[in-house]
Every structure is written in C-alpha cells, then in structure tokens.
Amino acid sequence: MSESNIDIELSYLRKKIDREKDARKQAEVLLENKSTELFDINQRLQEANQQLDVIVTRRTKALKATAERVEITSDELQNTVNRLSLVLDVANAVTWLFNVRHQTMDIAGKSQSLLGIEPTKAIPADDILSRIHKDDQVQLTEELGFALKEGKAISLRCRVMSRNGSYRWFLINGELSSFGAKRSLCVIGSCIEMHEQVEREREVWRMANHDALTGLPNRNHFETQFNALAGESFVSGEGFTLALIDINDFTQINDTYGHRTGDGVLQDFADILRGYSDHATHIARLSGDEYIVVFKNNIATWSAHELCQKLIDECATMSIQDGERLGLSLTMGLAVFPKDGGTMDDLMQSVYSAVQVGKQKKHIGSSCVLYNSSIERERFRERDIRSALKAAIEHQSFDLAFQPIMCNQSRYFVGCEALFRWPDMGGQWDIQEVIDVAENSGLILDLGEQVIDMAFSKLSHLSDMGVKKWVAINISPLQFQFQDVPHIISKALIKYNVDPAMLVVEVTENIFLENITRVAAVLGQLTKMGVRVAIDDFGSGYSSLRYVQSLPLDKIKIDKAFIDNVGSSAESQGIVNAVINMSHSMNYKVVAEGVETEEQLTALKEMGCDFIQGYLFSKPLSFDELIKLDDFSASAPLVLKTHLGRTL
Ligand code: C2E
Ligand code: CA
Ligand code: CA
C-alpha cells in the first residue's frame, strides 16, 4: 500500500471516527433527553398510581359499606315480608291481584281459612265475583271500573262467601298498579275480615234509626229515606203518594187500658201496616201515634186512597191482646210528591194540613183526606195570619173588647169578658180563626201574656174609678200546658195592685185532655190566690162532668150552641136545665152565652140561670164605651146579691 493510500485511508478513518464521535455525542444527548423524559413519565406514573390507590381504597370502602347496607336491607325486607304475612294472618286478610289483561285473580294470604280458596294464581275473575253477595256485586264492579278508568282507590265493605258457605263482611281495599317485567296493568289490594265489627255497627245504626217498640224506621231514618226517594223521583219523573196516619185519642187508650196494652196496640198496628208492604216502599213511625206510609210510585193516588180506606176498616175491628174489641180510629192525610210539596218539609206540611181537616171531622170517627187546592188556600191563609200575628205580637198592636155580663136577677151588669181584638186585622179574618192559628202555632203563649197584661191594666183602671166589676179573661189550654199561669197572674196582680176577686179565668173543657191531676193543682193554686175560675163553652167539647165535680170552679158558661135553641127546642132546653141544676147542686153559678132573644132570656130566667151574656144586652165594647155604661160608672152598686145569696 502506498503512502498516499495510507494517508487517504487514515484521513478516512479519522473522519469516520469524528463522525462516530459526533454521532455518539448526539446519541448521548438524545439518551440524556430521553432519560429525563422517562424520569418525568415515571414520576407521573408514580403519582397516578398513588391517586389510584387512594381511589381504590375509597371505592373499596364504599363498596364494603354498600354491601353491608344491602345485607341489612335484605334482612329488613325479609322481616317486613314476615311481618306482613303475620299481619295478614292476624288481620284475617287475603291479598289479591287482578290481572286486567287476562281478567284473572291471584289470591294469597289466608284465603283458605277465610274463603275456602287455596292461595292460587290466575283464577277467572268471574269465579271470585260470583262469591260476592249479589247486593254488593254492582258496587264492587263499579269501584273496580273507577279504579281502572280514573285511578281511584277502592275501599268498600261487602259480603263475601266464607269457607262454610255463609256470607261474611269484608273490607276490600285496592288500587291501580303494574306488575312483572312487562309492567302489566293490575289492581292490587287486600280483603280483610271484619264481620263482627260491621255487624256491631249495623246493630248500633239499626237502633239509632228504628223505633224500639215497633221496629219501624224512625223519623230520622225516614228523612234520609225520603231524600233518596225524592232524588230518584226527580230522575225518573215519577211522583209518589205519601200518607200520614194519626191514631185518634191514643192517650185515652193508654189511660183506659194502661201503657203495656197501649204498647201492644202500637205493635199490632205496626204489624197491620207491614201487611201493606206489597204496596208501599216505606213505612215509618214518626212519633208516638203518627205513622207514614209511602206508596209505590206505580200506585195511583185514588188506589192509595182505597188502600187507606181498607186500613181504616181493618183497624176499626182491631182487638187488644186478650181479644177485647178495641176499634182503632185513624185520621189520615194523603199528599202527592212533588205536586203537593217538593221537599220533605213542604210535603209533610201538606199531609199535616190534610190530617188537620180530617181532625175537624173527628166526630165521624176515622177519616182519610186527600190534600187539595182548597186545603192549600187554607194553609196559605193560615200562613198569612201567622206571619201578620207574629209581627203584631212584636209591636203589641192589639186591643181588648169588653162584653158586659148581666146578673139575671138584679138586671145589673156585674162583670165583663175581655175579648182579644186586632185593629189592623181588617175584615179578612175573624177572631176565632186568629185564635185557632195562634193556638196551632204556639203564638198564643206570647199573645196570651199580652192579653193578661192589658186586661189587668183595664182592671186597675176600673178599680181606680172605684168600680167593682169582675173581668173575665180567656186562657188557652196551651198556656196551661206550657206556662206557669198562676205565676204570670200573681205577677200581674202585684204589678197592677188589683183585687184577685175581680178576676175570672175562663178555661175550656179541652184542658181536661191534659193531665187532670196537674190541671186540678193549677186551678187550686189560682183559687187559693182568690182568683175565680169559669169553664167556658161548656157542653161543646170533651165531656167532663166527672172532672167538673172535682175541680175548684166558680162558674160554668153554657155554650152558645145550646142557648141558640132554648125557647124553641125542648131538647136543648132540657139539656140547659140539667146543666143549670147540676151546676147549682155543685154550688157553681151559670152563665148563658150568646143570648140574642127575649124568648131565650125568659126561658133562662125561668130555669134560674145566674148570668146572661149576649147581643141582647150588649155586643163587646171598647173600654171607653164600657165605662160610659151606667153600671160601670162609679155610682153603680158595688155589691150585688144573687138569688143564691152569694156575694158576687
Ligand atoms: P168565647 O170565649 O166563647 O167568647 C164569646 C164569643 O161570642 C165572642 O166572640 C163574642 O163576641 C161572641 N158573642 C157574645 N155574645 C154573642 C151573641 O149574642 N151572638 C153571637 N153571635 N156572638 C156572641 P169573639 O170575640 O169573636 O171571640 C171568639 C172566641 O175567640 C172566644 O170565644 C174565645 O174562644 C176566643 N178568644 C177571644 N179572645 C181571646 C183571648 O184573649 N184569649 C183566648 N185564649 N181566646 C180568646
Ligand atoms: Ca170565653
Ligand atoms: Ca164561650
């Protein structure tokens, strides 16, 4: 090899070495860079690892906690399931699920012991429905329908056939839900046995709504029945006829035969009414002797009237328990819904008005009156009087008229009767009518107190004038029944400082319809106070000779109806004569009312009647007119002697 070749070779090698050196340097720099990068990566990896560790630890912890909770929850769930099945057992309950799509039922719980059905799935729903009492089926299917359509919860009591084939009460609850993976529509619920509780409640309800003696629905229950009936009637457009039955003089049956027999009569009567069940939708007992029959709406009013007549005939031959014939007399009123009243109050008012009309014909025994337009007019008339009277009582816009009473022997006026007058009344009503309305409505109580006060004020006026004439005031039986009449009168005696002997209290025979012992005691109190008592309208009402004898009376006033025929009818004359003799034998004086003719006066004088009151001598006068009469002047004789020699 030549030198130049060697040099070339050498230079080449050197260059190669240099290149390699450079390359190595670059590689070293690269390596250094890479190792720094690697270090960084390593560093980050380490950090990430640490974070992962933290997360893993945390997650592990959380998972552990969740696992524990799941364990607890599943225990609780198991407990709940156990408790639930225990509750179902204790509560005698069955659970059910109605599969809407398949129309089947799943039954679980105590179905075997309660219903005699094994807990089972997918029984046709109709099989279950057929075990529900037929009266409850409609309501149950309706409630199921509501649950499905409107999502309403079901809750109803119904009778379900039990294991032994009898129906028992269950409470059925349920609500719309879904089940299974497909979330199929269902109604799910429970069926809880509550037979004893429902039966107890029904018994309490029965007692509260039925009359204990006859077992018939009472007024309270009838009101509910009526409202339901009225509602149905409005929907169907068909009316119905209602009868109110009042047993006449039932207190007399009690008084004569005793309460035990009275109760038996009412029970028998209720049984007779039940015999009309084929024609009636409702039969009820409203009060002691008042009953209601509602006739089926396909029964025409005239047939209802015929049925009432049949009932009247049946009761007329009724006998009491030991076979004695009793013959119950009835007053019946009939009215038609809604023609004669669209509410219970209105319809009842109509039948009461019809009964009232029947009562006025009481002397003919039983009666059955159909409400009609003239009764309606009468009712409106009564209503008008009542409201006008009420206002007049508030404004005290009354007056009194005074009708002088003549001593038959001396021919002097010895006293007068104070008669209620109502100046604003006009000519449309008469006093008797107004008094009757006042009595029927109870307004007579307030009115009577005002009359007493006015009469006393006039009495004190007379006494201030030095006139010693008695004033008679009319006291209604209702006042005796509901007010302490002796107390009211003694207060007035003190207030007006008048002599009690100048007061006569007139009472009608009707007060004897009340408790006679009490009546005697009250009249005794009045007599003790020095007030005198007269029996008014004697002979027109309740025949009471045996009571009259035992009472502390001063006068008997013979009713105008008997006086009218004195002098023309031997029979009337005979009666009047007998009453005068009887009264005198009991030391009572006699006043003849409504004397209009000289013939009557002559006859009465011959019979020894003590006092005469009537148009023959004077009509009722205003107080001013009264005191202008000679006898009512201060100079008139103060003390008169009767033919019996008693001081008046
Ligand atoms: P009464 O107590 O029998 O009163 C007598 C009635 O007969 C009075 O009618 C009187 O005007 C009338 N009268 C008297 N003499 C004759 C006569 O000769 N012929 C005729 N045709 N009638 C005669 P009045 O004032 O219309 O009273 C009617 C009834 O109203 C009274 O009958 C009485 O029951 C009642 N009444 C009047 N005022 C009161 C009162 O303040 N309280 C109570 N509770 N009732 C009263
Ligand atoms: Ca009178
Ligand atoms: Ca009278």
Side-chain angles (χ1 to χ4, degrees), residues 425-448:
M425 177 177 89
Q428 47 183 337
W429 308 312
D430 69 45
I431 290 294
Q432 188 64 62
E433 195 179 7
V434 172
I435 293 289
D436 288 347
V437 172
E439 292 204 344
N440 292 337
S441 59
L443 289 172
I444 194 75
L445 300 179
D446 290 338
L447 179 70

mmCIF file with all atom_site columns, all heavy atoms in Angstrom, residues 425-448:
data_model
loop_
_atom_site.group_PDB
_atom_site.id
_atom_site.type_symbol
_atom_site.label_atom_id
_atom_site.label_alt_id
_atom_site.label_comp_id
_atom_site.label_asym_id
_atom_site.label_entity_id
_atom_site.label_seq_id
_atom_site.pdbx_PDB_ins_code
_atom_site.Cartn_x
_atom_site.Cartn_y
_atom_site.Cartn_z
_atom_site.occupancy
_atom_site.B_iso_or_equiv
_atom_site.pdbx_formal_charge
_atom_site.auth_seq_id
_atom_site.auth_comp_id
_atom_site.auth_asym_id
_atom_site.auth_atom_id
_atom_site.pdbx_PDB_model_num
ATOM 1   N N   . MET A 1 425 ? -156.333 44.057 61.744 1.00 0.00 ? 425 MET A N   1
ATOM 2   C CA  . MET A 1 425 ? -156.659 42.803 61.081 1.00 0.00 ? 425 MET A CA  1
ATOM 3   C C   . MET A 1 425 ? -157.580 43.015 59.869 1.00 0.00 ? 425 MET A C   1
ATOM 4   O O   . MET A 1 425 ? -157.574 42.225 58.932 1.00 0.00 ? 425 MET A O   1
ATOM 5   C CB  . MET A 1 425 ? -157.323 41.898 62.115 1.00 0.00 ? 425 MET A CB  1
ATOM 6   C CG  . MET A 1 425 ? -157.790 40.590 61.627 1.00 0.00 ? 425 MET A CG  1
ATOM 7   S SD  . MET A 1 425 ? -158.442 39.674 63.019 1.00 0.00 ? 425 MET A SD  1
ATOM 8   C CE  . MET A 1 425 ? -160.150 40.190 62.998 1.00 0.00 ? 425 MET A CE  1
ATOM 9   N N   . GLY A 1 426 ? -158.321 44.109 59.897 1.00 0.00 ? 426 GLY A N   1
ATOM 10  C CA  . GLY A 1 426 ? -159.274 44.363 58.819 1.00 0.00 ? 426 GLY A CA  1
ATOM 11  C C   . GLY A 1 426 ? -160.399 43.352 58.888 1.00 0.00 ? 426 GLY A C   1
ATOM 12  O O   . GLY A 1 426 ? -160.562 42.665 59.881 1.00 0.00 ? 426 GLY A O   1
ATOM 13  N N   . GLY A 1 427 ? -161.124 43.241 57.772 1.00 0.00 ? 427 GLY A N   1
ATOM 14  C CA  . GLY A 1 427 ? -162.279 42.338 57.824 1.00 0.00 ? 427 GLY A CA  1
ATOM 15  C C   . GLY A 1 427 ? -161.959 40.949 57.304 1.00 0.00 ? 427 GLY A C   1
ATOM 16  O O   . GLY A 1 427 ? -162.835 40.111 57.163 1.00 0.00 ? 427 GLY A O   1
ATOM 17  N N   . GLN A 1 428 ? -160.680 40.700 56.973 1.00 0.00 ? 428 GLN A N   1
ATOM 18  C CA  . GLN A 1 428 ? -160.377 39.458 56.260 1.00 0.00 ? 428 GLN A CA  1
ATOM 19  C C   . GLN A 1 428 ? -160.442 38.192 57.113 1.00 0.00 ? 428 GLN A C   1
ATOM 20  O O   . GLN A 1 428 ? -160.680 37.108 56.588 1.00 0.00 ? 428 GLN A O   1
ATOM 21  C CB  . GLN A 1 428 ? -159.015 39.578 55.585 1.00 0.00 ? 428 GLN A CB  1
ATOM 22  C CG  . GLN A 1 428 ? -157.945 40.131 56.513 1.00 0.00 ? 428 GLN A CG  1
ATOM 23  C CD  . GLN A 1 428 ? -156.603 40.318 55.810 1.00 0.00 ? 428 GLN A CD  1
ATOM 24  O OE1 . GLN A 1 428 ? -156.342 39.684 54.814 1.00 0.00 ? 428 GLN A OE1 1
ATOM 25  N NE2 . GLN A 1 428 ? -155.767 41.191 56.346 1.00 0.00 ? 428 GLN A NE2 1
ATOM 26  N N   . TRP A 1 429 ? -160.205 38.307 58.403 1.00 0.00 ? 429 TRP A N   1
ATOM 27  C CA  . TRP A 1 429 ? -160.231 37.112 59.253 1.00 0.00 ? 429 TRP A CA  1
ATOM 28  C C   . TRP A 1 429 ? -161.165 37.364 60.423 1.00 0.00 ? 429 TRP A C   1
ATOM 29  O O   . TRP A 1 429 ? -161.422 38.506 60.792 1.00 0.00 ? 429 TRP A O   1
ATOM 30  C CB  . TRP A 1 429 ? -158.833 36.812 59.810 1.00 0.00 ? 429 TRP A CB  1
ATOM 31  C CG  . TRP A 1 429 ? -157.765 36.756 58.768 1.00 0.00 ? 429 TRP A CG  1
ATOM 32  C CD1 . TRP A 1 429 ? -157.818 36.073 57.600 1.00 0.00 ? 429 TRP A CD1 1
ATOM 33  C CD2 . TRP A 1 429 ? -156.493 37.419 58.789 1.00 0.00 ? 429 TRP A CD2 1
ATOM 34  N NE1 . TRP A 1 429 ? -156.657 36.248 56.895 1.00 0.00 ? 429 TRP A NE1 1
ATOM 35  C CE2 . TRP A 1 429 ? -155.821 37.068 57.600 1.00 0.00 ? 429 TRP A CE2 1
ATOM 36  C CE3 . TRP A 1 429 ? -155.835 38.263 59.687 1.00 0.00 ? 429 TRP A CE3 1
ATOM 37  C CZ2 . TRP A 1 429 ? -154.544 37.532 57.288 1.00 0.00 ? 429 TRP A CZ2 1
ATOM 38  C CZ3 . TRP A 1 429 ? -154.564 38.719 59.387 1.00 0.00 ? 429 TRP A CZ3 1
ATOM 39  C CH2 . TRP A 1 429 ? -153.935 38.365 58.195 1.00 0.00 ? 429 TRP A CH2 1
ATOM 40  N N   . ASP A 1 430 ? -161.668 36.293 61.056 1.00 0.00 ? 430 ASP A N   1
ATOM 41  C CA  . ASP A 1 430 ? -162.404 36.548 62.293 1.00 0.00 ? 430 ASP A CA  1
ATOM 42  C C   . ASP A 1 430 ? -161.576 36.104 63.496 1.00 0.00 ? 430 ASP A C   1
ATOM 43  O O   . ASP A 1 430 ? -160.604 35.370 63.358 1.00 0.00 ? 430 ASP A O   1
ATOM 44  C CB  . ASP A 1 430 ? -163.826 35.958 62.266 1.00 0.00 ? 430 ASP A CB  1
ATOM 45  C CG  . ASP A 1 430 ? -163.852 34.456 62.288 1.00 0.00 ? 430 ASP A CG  1
ATOM 46  O OD1 . ASP A 1 430 ? -163.105 33.851 63.091 1.00 0.00 ? 430 ASP A OD1 1
ATOM 47  O OD2 . ASP A 1 430 ? -164.614 33.889 61.507 1.00 0.00 ? 430 ASP A OD2 1
ATOM 48  N N   . ILE A 1 431 ? -161.985 36.628 64.655 1.00 0.00 ? 431 ILE A N   1
ATOM 49  C CA  . ILE A 1 431 ? -161.170 36.440 65.862 1.00 0.00 ? 431 ILE A CA  1
ATOM 50  C C   . ILE A 1 431 ? -160.949 34.958 66.169 1.00 0.00 ? 431 ILE A C   1
ATOM 51  O O   . ILE A 1 431 ? -159.839 34.545 66.480 1.00 0.00 ? 431 ILE A O   1
ATOM 52  C CB  . ILE A 1 431 ? -161.840 37.147 67.060 1.00 0.00 ? 431 ILE A CB  1
ATOM 53  C CG1 . ILE A 1 431 ? -161.744 38.662 66.887 1.00 0.00 ? 431 ILE A CG1 1
ATOM 54  C CG2 . ILE A 1 431 ? -161.226 36.729 68.392 1.00 0.00 ? 431 ILE A CG2 1
ATOM 55  C CD1 . ILE A 1 431 ? -160.341 39.226 66.945 1.00 0.00 ? 431 ILE A CD1 1
ATOM 56  N N   . GLN A 1 432 ? -162.017 34.165 66.033 1.00 0.00 ? 432 GLN A N   1
ATOM 57  C CA  . GLN A 1 432 ? -161.886 32.742 66.356 1.00 0.00 ? 432 GLN A CA  1
ATOM 58  C C   . GLN A 1 432 ? -160.807 32.092 65.487 1.00 0.00 ? 432 GLN A C   1
ATOM 59  O O   . GLN A 1 432 ? -159.998 31.292 65.961 1.00 0.00 ? 432 GLN A O   1
ATOM 60  C CB  . GLN A 1 432 ? -163.232 32.038 66.138 1.00 0.00 ? 432 GLN A CB  1
ATOM 61  C CG  . GLN A 1 432 ? -163.261 30.595 66.623 1.00 0.00 ? 432 GLN A CG  1
ATOM 62  C CD  . GLN A 1 432 ? -163.068 30.465 68.130 1.00 0.00 ? 432 GLN A CD  1
ATOM 63  O OE1 . GLN A 1 432 ? -163.877 30.963 68.907 1.00 0.00 ? 432 GLN A OE1 1
ATOM 64  N NE2 . GLN A 1 432 ? -161.970 29.831 68.531 1.00 0.00 ? 432 GLN A NE2 1
ATOM 65  N N   . GLU A 1 433 ? -160.791 32.511 64.207 1.00 0.00 ? 433 GLU A N   1
ATOM 66  C CA  . GLU A 1 433 ? -159.815 31.957 63.272 1.00 0.00 ? 433 GLU A CA  1
ATOM 67  C C   . GLU A 1 433 ? -158.395 32.339 63.695 1.00 0.00 ? 433 GLU A C   1
ATOM 68  O O   . GLU A 1 433 ? -157.481 31.509 63.701 1.00 0.00 ? 433 GLU A O   1
ATOM 69  C CB  . GLU A 1 433 ? -160.126 32.535 61.879 1.00 0.00 ? 433 GLU A CB  1
ATOM 70  C CG  . GLU A 1 433 ? -159.454 31.818 60.755 1.00 0.00 ? 433 GLU A CG  1
ATOM 71  C CD  . GLU A 1 433 ? -159.828 32.441 59.402 1.00 0.00 ? 433 GLU A CD  1
ATOM 72  O OE1 . GLU A 1 433 ? -160.499 33.493 59.384 1.00 0.00 ? 433 GLU A OE1 1
ATOM 73  O OE2 . GLU A 1 433 ? -159.425 31.870 58.381 1.00 0.00 ? 433 GLU A OE2 1
ATOM 74  N N   . VAL A 1 434 ? -158.232 33.604 64.076 1.00 0.00 ? 434 VAL A N   1
ATOM 75  C CA  . VAL A 1 434 ? -156.915 34.082 64.501 1.00 0.00 ? 434 VAL A CA  1
ATOM 76  C C   . VAL A 1 434 ? -156.468 33.337 65.761 1.00 0.00 ? 434 VAL A C   1
ATOM 77  O O   . VAL A 1 434 ? -155.318 32.895 65.870 1.00 0.00 ? 434 VAL A O   1
ATOM 78  C CB  . VAL A 1 434 ? -156.951 35.613 64.750 1.00 0.00 ? 434 VAL A CB  1
ATOM 79  C CG1 . VAL A 1 434 ? -155.659 36.087 65.382 1.00 0.00 ? 434 VAL A CG1 1
ATOM 80  C CG2 . VAL A 1 434 ? -157.219 36.343 63.449 1.00 0.00 ? 434 VAL A CG2 1
ATOM 81  N N   . ILE A 1 435 ? -157.406 33.155 66.689 1.00 0.00 ? 435 ILE A N   1
ATOM 82  C CA  . ILE A 1 435 ? -157.060 32.449 67.938 1.00 0.00 ? 435 ILE A CA  1
ATOM 83  C C   . ILE A 1 435 ? -156.671 31.003 67.625 1.00 0.00 ? 435 ILE A C   1
ATOM 84  O O   . ILE A 1 435 ? -155.705 30.474 68.175 1.00 0.00 ? 435 ILE A O   1
ATOM 85  C CB  . ILE A 1 435 ? -158.246 32.496 68.940 1.00 0.00 ? 435 ILE A CB  1
ATOM 86  C CG1 . ILE A 1 435 ? -158.482 33.935 69.422 1.00 0.00 ? 435 ILE A CG1 1
ATOM 87  C CG2 . ILE A 1 435 ? -158.028 31.565 70.128 1.00 0.00 ? 435 ILE A CG2 1
ATOM 88  C CD1 . ILE A 1 435 ? -157.429 34.499 70.355 1.00 0.00 ? 435 ILE A CD1 1
ATOM 89  N N   . ASP A 1 436 ? -157.402 30.388 66.690 1.00 0.00 ? 436 ASP A N   1
ATOM 90  C CA  . ASP A 1 436 ? -157.069 28.995 66.326 1.00 0.00 ? 436 ASP A CA  1
ATOM 91  C C   . ASP A 1 436 ? -155.656 28.905 65.754 1.00 0.00 ? 436 ASP A C   1
ATOM 92  O O   . ASP A 1 436 ? -154.890 28.008 66.115 1.00 0.00 ? 436 ASP A O   1
ATOM 93  C CB  . ASP A 1 436 ? -158.072 28.443 65.295 1.00 0.00 ? 436 ASP A CB  1
ATOM 94  C CG  . ASP A 1 436 ? -159.434 28.180 65.926 1.00 0.00 ? 436 ASP A CG  1
ATOM 95  O OD1 . ASP A 1 436 ? -159.506 28.194 67.181 1.00 0.00 ? 436 ASP A OD1 1
ATOM 96  O OD2 . ASP A 1 436 ? -160.424 27.988 65.182 1.00 0.00 ? 436 ASP A OD2 1
ATOM 97  N N   . VAL A 1 437 ? -155.318 29.873 64.870 1.00 0.00 ? 437 VAL A N   1
ATOM 98  C CA  . VAL A 1 437 ? -153.967 29.869 64.295 1.00 0.00 ? 437 VAL A CA  1
ATOM 99  C C   . VAL A 1 437 ? -152.937 30.097 65.405 1.00 0.00 ? 437 VAL A C   1
ATOM 100 O O   . VAL A 1 437 ? -151.901 29.440 65.468 1.00 0.00 ? 437 VAL A O   1
ATOM 101 C CB  . VAL A 1 437 ? -153.836 30.941 63.192 1.00 0.00 ? 437 VAL A CB  1
ATOM 102 C CG1 . VAL A 1 437 ? -152.386 31.079 62.736 1.00 0.00 ? 437 VAL A CG1 1
ATOM 103 C CG2 . VAL A 1 437 ? -154.726 30.595 62.011 1.00 0.00 ? 437 VAL A CG2 1
ATOM 104 N N   . ALA A 1 438 ? -153.266 31.021 66.308 1.00 0.00 ? 438 ALA A N   1
ATOM 105 C CA  . ALA A 1 438 ? -152.336 31.316 67.410 1.00 0.00 ? 438 ALA A CA  1
ATOM 106 C C   . ALA A 1 438 ? -152.116 30.056 68.245 1.00 0.00 ? 438 ALA A C   1
ATOM 107 O O   . ALA A 1 438 ? -150.997 29.787 68.699 1.00 0.00 ? 438 ALA A O   1
ATOM 108 C CB  . ALA A 1 438 ? -152.886 32.452 68.273 1.00 0.00 ? 438 ALA A CB  1
ATOM 109 N N   . GLU A 1 439 ? -153.172 29.273 68.438 1.00 0.00 ? 439 GLU A N   1
ATOM 110 C CA  . GLU A 1 439 ? -153.033 28.050 69.232 1.00 0.00 ? 439 GLU A CA  1
ATOM 111 C C   . GLU A 1 439 ? -152.225 27.005 68.477 1.00 0.00 ? 439 GLU A C   1
ATOM 112 O O   . GLU A 1 439 ? -151.333 26.378 69.039 1.00 0.00 ? 439 GLU A O   1
ATOM 113 C CB  . GLU A 1 439 ? -154.403 27.496 69.606 1.00 0.00 ? 439 GLU A CB  1
ATOM 114 C CG  . GLU A 1 439 ? -155.102 28.412 70.588 1.00 0.00 ? 439 GLU A CG  1
ATOM 115 C CD  . GLU A 1 439 ? -156.153 27.715 71.427 1.00 0.00 ? 439 GLU A CD  1
ATOM 116 O OE1 . GLU A 1 439 ? -156.543 26.603 71.043 1.00 0.00 ? 439 GLU A OE1 1
ATOM 117 O OE2 . GLU A 1 439 ? -156.566 28.297 72.436 1.00 0.00 ? 439 GLU A OE2 1
ATOM 118 N N   . ASN A 1 440 ? -152.552 26.837 67.197 1.00 0.00 ? 440 ASN A N   1
ATOM 119 C CA  . ASN A 1 440 ? -151.832 25.815 66.425 1.00 0.00 ? 440 ASN A CA  1
ATOM 120 C C   . ASN A 1 440 ? -150.355 26.129 66.275 1.00 0.00 ? 440 ASN A C   1
ATOM 121 O O   . ASN A 1 440 ? -149.537 25.232 66.134 1.00 0.00 ? 440 ASN A O   1
ATOM 122 C CB  . ASN A 1 440 ? -152.447 25.650 65.026 1.00 0.00 ? 440 ASN A CB  1
ATOM 123 C CG  . ASN A 1 440 ? -153.827 25.044 65.132 1.00 0.00 ? 440 ASN A CG  1
ATOM 124 O OD1 . ASN A 1 440 ? -154.153 24.387 66.118 1.00 0.00 ? 440 ASN A OD1 1
ATOM 125 N ND2 . ASN A 1 440 ? -154.662 25.275 64.131 1.00 0.00 ? 440 ASN A ND2 1
ATOM 126 N N   . SER A 1 441 ? -150.022 27.426 66.273 1.00 0.00 ? 441 SER A N   1
ATOM 127 C CA  . SER A 1 441 ? -148.624 27.798 66.042 1.00 0.00 ? 441 SER A CA  1
ATOM 128 C C   . SER A 1 441 ? -147.873 28.063 67.341 1.00 0.00 ? 441 SER A C   1
ATOM 129 O O   . SER A 1 441 ? -146.675 28.291 67.322 1.00 0.00 ? 441 SER A O   1
ATOM 130 C CB  . SER A 1 441 ? -148.572 29.057 65.180 1.00 0.00 ? 441 SER A CB  1
ATOM 131 O OG  . SER A 1 441 ? -149.256 30.100 65.860 1.00 0.00 ? 441 SER A OG  1
ATOM 132 N N   . GLY A 1 442 ? -148.592 28.069 68.462 1.00 0.00 ? 442 GLY A N   1
ATOM 133 C CA  . GLY A 1 442 ? -147.930 28.336 69.745 1.00 0.00 ? 442 GLY A CA  1
ATOM 134 C C   . GLY A 1 442 ? -147.828 29.829 70.042 1.00 0.00 ? 442 GLY A C   1
ATOM 135 O O   . GLY A 1 442 ? -147.391 30.232 71.122 1.00 0.00 ? 442 GLY A O   1
ATOM 136 N N   . LEU A 1 443 ? -148.237 30.682 69.070 1.00 0.00 ? 443 LEU A N   1
ATOM 137 C CA  . LEU A 1 443 ? -148.136 32.132 69.293 1.00 0.00 ? 443 LEU A CA  1
ATOM 138 C C   . LEU A 1 443 ? -149.055 32.584 70.424 1.00 0.00 ? 443 LEU A C   1
ATOM 139 O O   . LEU A 1 443 ? -148.878 33.655 71.002 1.00 0.00 ? 443 LEU A O   1
ATOM 140 C CB  . LEU A 1 443 ? -148.489 32.899 68.009 1.00 0.00 ? 443 LEU A CB  1
ATOM 141 C CG  . LEU A 1 443 ? -147.460 32.808 66.879 1.00 0.00 ? 443 LEU A CG  1
ATOM 142 C CD1 . LEU A 1 443 ? -148.003 33.439 65.610 1.00 0.00 ? 443 LEU A CD1 1
ATOM 143 C CD2 . LEU A 1 443 ? -146.165 33.499 67.283 1.00 0.00 ? 443 LEU A CD2 1
ATOM 144 N N   . ILE A 1 444 ? -150.021 31.737 70.760 1.00 0.00 ? 444 ILE A N   1
ATOM 145 C CA  . ILE A 1 444 ? -150.968 32.079 71.822 1.00 0.00 ? 444 ILE A CA  1
ATOM 146 C C   . ILE A 1 444 ? -150.242 32.316 73.159 1.00 0.00 ? 444 ILE A C   1
ATOM 147 O O   . ILE A 1 444 ? -150.742 33.054 74.012 1.00 0.00 ? 444 ILE A O   1
ATOM 148 C CB  . ILE A 1 444 ? -152.046 30.963 71.978 1.00 0.00 ? 444 ILE A CB  1
ATOM 149 C CG1 . ILE A 1 444 ? -153.240 31.432 72.834 1.00 0.00 ? 444 ILE A CG1 1
ATOM 150 C CG2 . ILE A 1 444 ? -151.474 29.718 72.607 1.00 0.00 ? 444 ILE A CG2 1
ATOM 151 C CD1 . ILE A 1 444 ? -154.157 32.351 72.137 1.00 0.00 ? 444 ILE A CD1 1
ATOM 152 N N   . LEU A 1 445 ? -149.062 31.729 73.301 1.00 0.00 ? 445 LEU A N   1
ATOM 153 C CA  . LEU A 1 445 ? -148.343 31.895 74.567 1.00 0.00 ? 445 LEU A CA  1
ATOM 154 C C   . LEU A 1 445 ? -147.953 33.360 74.764 1.00 0.00 ? 445 LEU A C   1
ATOM 155 O O   . LEU A 1 445 ? -148.231 33.957 75.806 1.00 0.00 ? 445 LEU A O   1
ATOM 156 C CB  . LEU A 1 445 ? -147.120 30.978 74.617 1.00 0.00 ? 445 LEU A CB  1
ATOM 157 C CG  . LEU A 1 445 ? -147.419 29.480 74.494 1.00 0.00 ? 445 LEU A CG  1
ATOM 158 C CD1 . LEU A 1 445 ? -146.144 28.663 74.530 1.00 0.00 ? 445 LEU A CD1 1
ATOM 159 C CD2 . LEU A 1 445 ? -148.361 29.015 75.604 1.00 0.00 ? 445 LEU A CD2 1
ATOM 160 N N   . ASP A 1 446 ? -147.306 33.956 73.741 1.00 0.00 ? 446 ASP A N   1
ATOM 161 C CA  . ASP A 1 446 ? -146.917 35.372 73.844 1.00 0.00 ? 446 ASP A CA  1
ATOM 162 C C   . ASP A 1 446 ? -148.152 36.267 73.825 1.00 0.00 ? 446 ASP A C   1
ATOM 163 O O   . ASP A 1 446 ? -148.259 37.225 74.593 1.00 0.00 ? 446 ASP A O   1
ATOM 164 C CB  . ASP A 1 446 ? -146.013 35.762 72.669 1.00 0.00 ? 446 ASP A CB  1
ATOM 165 C CG  . ASP A 1 446 ? -144.656 35.090 72.808 1.00 0.00 ? 446 ASP A CG  1
ATOM 166 O OD1 . ASP A 1 446 ? -144.317 34.714 73.939 1.00 0.00 ? 446 ASP A OD1 1
ATOM 167 O OD2 . ASP A 1 446 ? -143.965 34.925 71.789 1.00 0.00 ? 446 ASP A OD2 1
ATOM 168 N N   . LEU A 1 447 ? -149.076 35.897 72.930 1.00 0.00 ? 447 LEU A N   1
ATOM 169 C CA  . LEU A 1 447 ? -150.298 36.691 72.813 1.00 0.00 ? 447 LEU A CA  1
ATOM 170 C C   . LEU A 1 447 ? -151.063 36.682 74.142 1.00 0.00 ? 447 LEU A C   1
ATOM 171 O O   . LEU A 1 447 ? -151.506 37.732 74.635 1.00 0.00 ? 447 LEU A O   1
ATOM 172 C CB  . LEU A 1 447 ? -151.164 36.092 71.693 1.00 0.00 ? 447 LEU A CB  1
ATOM 173 C CG  . LEU A 1 447 ? -152.493 36.763 71.440 1.00 0.00 ? 447 LEU A CG  1
ATOM 174 C CD1 . LEU A 1 447 ? -152.262 38.133 70.820 1.00 0.00 ? 447 LEU A CD1 1
ATOM 175 C CD2 . LEU A 1 447 ? -153.360 35.940 70.503 1.00 0.00 ? 447 LEU A CD2 1
ATOM 176 N N   . GLY A 1 448 ? -151.184 35.493 74.729 1.00 0.00 ? 448 GLY A N   1
ATOM 177 C CA  . GLY A 1 448 ? -151.922 35.336 75.987 1.00 0.00 ? 448 GLY A CA  1
ATOM 178 C C   . GLY A 1 448 ? -151.323 36.193 77.096 1.00 0.00 ? 448 GLY A C   1
ATOM 179 O O   . GLY A 1 448 ? -152.053 36.803 77.881 1.00 0.00 ? 448 GLY A O   1
#
